[in-house]
């Protein structure tokens, strides 16, 4: 590929932005078409599913965005744009779709649709767009002029197709890794469910004599040390927004300066459990000293009755999470009280059996981390190739 032979063009010159609905004039108003909410789009992933369908005549009357198969959708409003909300349209009912007014619709005229999607979802494009958004905090929007005037080096069509095919192969590899991740998590959840069930048996390793009924307050200590964020020397904050469902590892953190109000002190090795909206299944082990949201519960294993590394895996199980949801109080933001949780009884393997079980479940997490690293490597490869093309 001879990049020095590529033509420098503006996106507005090689694609149509927000196509007119006038081209639908001859299509019957009762034709069923697809509809996409903003929530339907993924972050930096090309394909998505439509949330619903409706008659063309109903959707055409309003100010909704109109698109068809092979068009590219781009979120224009904060924080969706910054998060990479975009998509390549495929599988519309009768080839026609409508969606949020907060989409730009880009229809490639002289550019391969997948390459166009790859460009507008790239870090290059998003980082440049962030600087050009207008509006007040929380209501900022990307302007159409920025999209139309954004310049790229455009390869000949045959080279575009080759580049798009390469990006598609990387995306396919990422999807395959994600399937493996999902299957691995499902298997882990299944084994956790079997381990803590009332069957009192686990493969050939445990029988009913290896289990005991025990109250939660006996295996876990509630640590409620309060901290004022502006008065602490600790520099790491963990809110519930930083915890991922069914993941014991804390991948993101904030700063104490970013929050106000009394928080909870956490020590390395403590368990952070989202006591608010427990159905979100947020529980993680801190690998640092810091402070945590007051909407979390800080727990520490009572090592007299349970192995320290075994407790988090138990708390990931459906048995624990379902009970947590059941005992939550409140309608809008259901929350668990420590006194209620402490009184709950669970059937657990006896302590002397827990070390080997911990090794098993740690292996699941190790394998999952390896898969996540593969996915990160593939994503970085795609961004590196895009930077070489656009840079």
């Amino acid at each position: 590929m001879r990049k020095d032979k590529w033509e420098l063009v503006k996106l507005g010159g090689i694609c149509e932005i927000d196509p007119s609905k006038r081209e639908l004039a001859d299509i019957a108003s009762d034709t069923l078409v697809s509809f996409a909410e903003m929530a339907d789009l993924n972050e930096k992933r090309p394909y998505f599913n439509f949330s619903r369908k409706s008659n063309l005549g109903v959707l055409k009357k309003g100010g909704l965005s109109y698109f068809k198969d092979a068009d590219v959708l781009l979120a224009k409003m904060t924080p969706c744009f910054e998060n990479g909300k975009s998509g390549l349209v495929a599988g519309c009912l009768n080839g026609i779709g409508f969606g949020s007014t907060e989409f730009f619709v880009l229809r490639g005229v002289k550019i391969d649709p997948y390459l166009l999607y790859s460009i507008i979802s790239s870090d290059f494009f998003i980082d440049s767009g962030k600087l050009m958004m207008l509006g007040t905090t929380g209501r900022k929007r990307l302007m159409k002029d920025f999209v139309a005037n954004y310049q790229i080096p455009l390869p000949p069509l045959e080279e575009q197709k080759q580049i798009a095919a390469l990006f598609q192969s990387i995306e396919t590899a990422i999807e395959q890794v994600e399937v493996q991740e999902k299957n691995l998590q499902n298997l882990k959840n299944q084994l956790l469910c079997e381990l803590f069930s009332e069957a009192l048996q686990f493969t050939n390793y445990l029988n009913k004599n290896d289990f005991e009924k025990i109250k939660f307050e006996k295996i876990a200590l509630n640590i409620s040390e309060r901290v004022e964020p502006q008065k602490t020397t600790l520099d790491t904050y963990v809110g519930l927004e930083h915890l991922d469902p069914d993941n014991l590892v804390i991948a993101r953190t904030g700063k104490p300066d970013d929050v106000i109000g009394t928080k909870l002190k956490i020590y390395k090795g403590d368990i952070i459990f989202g006591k608010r909206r427990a159905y979100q299944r947020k529980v993680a082990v801190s690998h640092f000293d810091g402070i945590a949201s007051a909407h979390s519960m800080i727990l520490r294993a009572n090592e007299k009755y349970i192995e320290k590394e075994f407790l988090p895996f138990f708390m990931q199980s459906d048995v624990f999470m379902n009970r947590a949801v059941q005992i939550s109080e409140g309608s809008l933001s259901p929350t668990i009280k420590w006194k209620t949780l402490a009184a709950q009884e669970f059937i657990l393997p006896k302590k002397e059996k827990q070390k080997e079980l911990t090794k098993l479940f740690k292996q699941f997490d190790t394998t999952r981390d390896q898969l996540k690293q593969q996915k990160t490597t593939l994503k970085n490869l795609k961004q590196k190739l895009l930077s070489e093309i656009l840079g």
Side-chain angles (χ1 to χ4, degrees):
M1 294 185 184
R2 293 285 305 277
K3 189 175 176 182
D4 59 319
K5 300 293 185 181
W6 294 359
E7 182 184 3
L8 190 64
V9 298
K10 295 179 179 180
L11 285 183
I14 58 172
C15 66
E16 187 179 357
I17 303 176
D18 295 336
S20 171
K21 299 173 192 173
R22 287 193 294 271
E23 60 190 45
L24 301 172
D26 296 331
I27 301 176
S29 61
D30 61 351
T31 301
L32 275 179
V33 299
S34 299
F35 186 85
E37 304 277 2
M38 182 66 74
D40 295 335
L41 267 62
N42 299 305
E43 296 179 2
K44 296 191 176 183
R45 298 300 303 273
Y47 298 111
F48 59 95
N49 296 317
F50 297 100
S51 59
R52 59 187 174 93
K53 58 188 176 183
S54 187
N55 289 338
L56 173 62
V58 174
L59 299 177
K60 192 168 64 170
K61 292 178 182 177
L64 297 169
S65 300
Y66 151 64
F67 50 83
K68 64 181 184 180
D69 285 344
D71 286 347
V72 173
L73 304 184
L74 171 65
K76 64 175 79 167
M77 191 172 181
T78 191
C80 298
F81 170 72
E82 297 97 312
N83 293 339
K85 281 258 187 181
S86 53
L88 181 57
V89 181
C92 286
L93 277 172
N94 295 302
I96 299 170
F98 283 82
S100 168
T101 57
E102 297 298 340
F103 293 148
F104 283 124
V105 179
L106 283 67
R107 180 170 298 168
V109 178
K110 298 179 182 179
I111 184 170
D112 179 270
Y114 199 95
L115 180 58
L116 175 59
Y117 162 78
S118 299
I119 290 169
I120 62 95
S121 63
S122 69
D123 291 343
F124 257 66
F125 183 86
I126 293 172
D127 289 344
S128 298
K130 286 178 186 177
L131 302 175
M132 304 301 292
M133 297 181 81
L134 298 179
T136 58
T137 302
R139 301 293 296 177
K140 288 186 176 181
R141 283 185 176 85
L142 191 67
M143 296 294 103
K144 187 175 181 178
D145 283 350
F146 168 80
V147 180
N149 293 317
Y150 189 81
Q151 289 188 319
I152 64 165
L154 184 69
L157 186 58
E158 191 56 39
E159 290 187 22
Q160 290 181 36
K161 292 179 178 179
Q162 293 175 19
I163 294 169
L166 175 59
F167 288 152
Q168 284 177 302
S169 67
I170 294 173
E171 198 64 44
T172 298
I174 292 173
E175 290 172 358
Q176 290 171 344
V177 171
E178 288 182 340
V179 169
Q180 293 179 62
E181 275 188 282
K182 184 177 180 180
N183 291 340
L184 190 70
Q185 186 63 49
N186 288 341
L187 179 56
K188 178 184 174 183
N189 288 343
Q190 180 183 337
L191 290 175
L192 284 169
C193 189
E194 292 176 7
L195 177 59
F196 301 113
S197 72
E198 295 183 0
L200 301 182
Q201 187 172 345
F202 185 70
T203 65
N204 295 323
Y205 182 63
L206 301 177
N207 58 47
K208 64 180 181 180
N209 296 321
D210 297 315
F211 292 86
E212 63 179 344
K213 184 177 285 188
I214 192 166
K215 285 189 174 182
F216 193 72
E217 65 184 351
K218 205 168 183 179
I219 60 173
L221 306 173
N222 181 34
I223 309 302
S224 188
E225 187 176 336
R226 300 285 171 166
V227 177
E228 294 290 339
Q230 281 70 40
K231 297 179 181 179
T232 182
T233 57
L234 298 168
D235 60 1
T236 307
Y237 167 73
V238 181
L240 297 188
E241 68 275 14
H242 298 124
L243 305 183
D244 296 317
D246 291 314
N247 190 352
L248 295 177
V249 178
I250 302 171
R252 304 178 305 282
T253 59
K255 295 290 184 183
D257 291 343
D258 299 334
V259 294
I260 58 175
T262 303
K263 304 302 175 187
L264 297 170
K265 175 76 177 289
I266 50 175
Y267 294 88
K268 183 177 180 180
D270 284 349
I271 298 169
I272 306 172
F273 169 51
K275 68 177 182 179
R276 187 178 187 182
R277 301 189 179 98
Y279 55 81
Q280 294 181 339
R281 301 178 67 92
K282 293 190 174 185
V283 55
V285 180
S286 179
H287 54 279
F288 49 77
D289 293 348
I291 64 174
S293 166
H295 295 305
S296 59
M297 191 178 287
I298 310 303
L299 302 172
R300 190 174 298 162
N302 184 349
E303 297 184 62
K304 182 178 179 181
Y305 297 102
I306 193 169
E307 288 291 334
K308 180 179 180 179
E309 293 182 306
F310 185 73
L311 179 56
F313 290 117
F314 165 61
M315 293 181 65
Q316 278 191 312
S317 71
D318 288 347
V319 170
F320 176 83
M321 287 296 180
N322 290 342
R323 185 79 63 83
V325 171
Q326 290 171 5
I327 64 174
S328 296
E329 300 178 19
S331 55
L332 295 178
S333 297
T335 303
I336 301 170
K337 294 180 180 178
W338 165 248
K339 185 177 180 180
T340 307
L341 179 58
Q344 300 302 307
E345 288 188 325
F346 297 97
I347 297 174
L348 269 64
K350 292 179 179 178
K351 186 181 177 184
E352 58 266 24
K353 293 288 186 177
Q354 293 173 6
K355 278 191 177 180
E356 288 302 315
L357 292 167
T358 299
K359 289 180 183 178
L360 169 65
F361 292 113
K362 285 180 76 172
Q363 186 57 52
F364 274 96
D365 287 355
T366 298
T367 305
R368 186 201 57 209
D369 290 343
Q370 291 170 348
L371 291 171
K372 285 185 178 296
Q373 185 57 52
Q374 287 181 36
K375 189 165 65 173
T376 299
T377 300
L378 288 166
K379 288 181 177 180
N380 289 342
L381 173 60
K382 183 178 179 181
Q383 290 301 323
K384 183 178 180 181
L385 291 172
L386 275 167
S387 68
E388 290 179 0
I389 291 169
L390 299 175

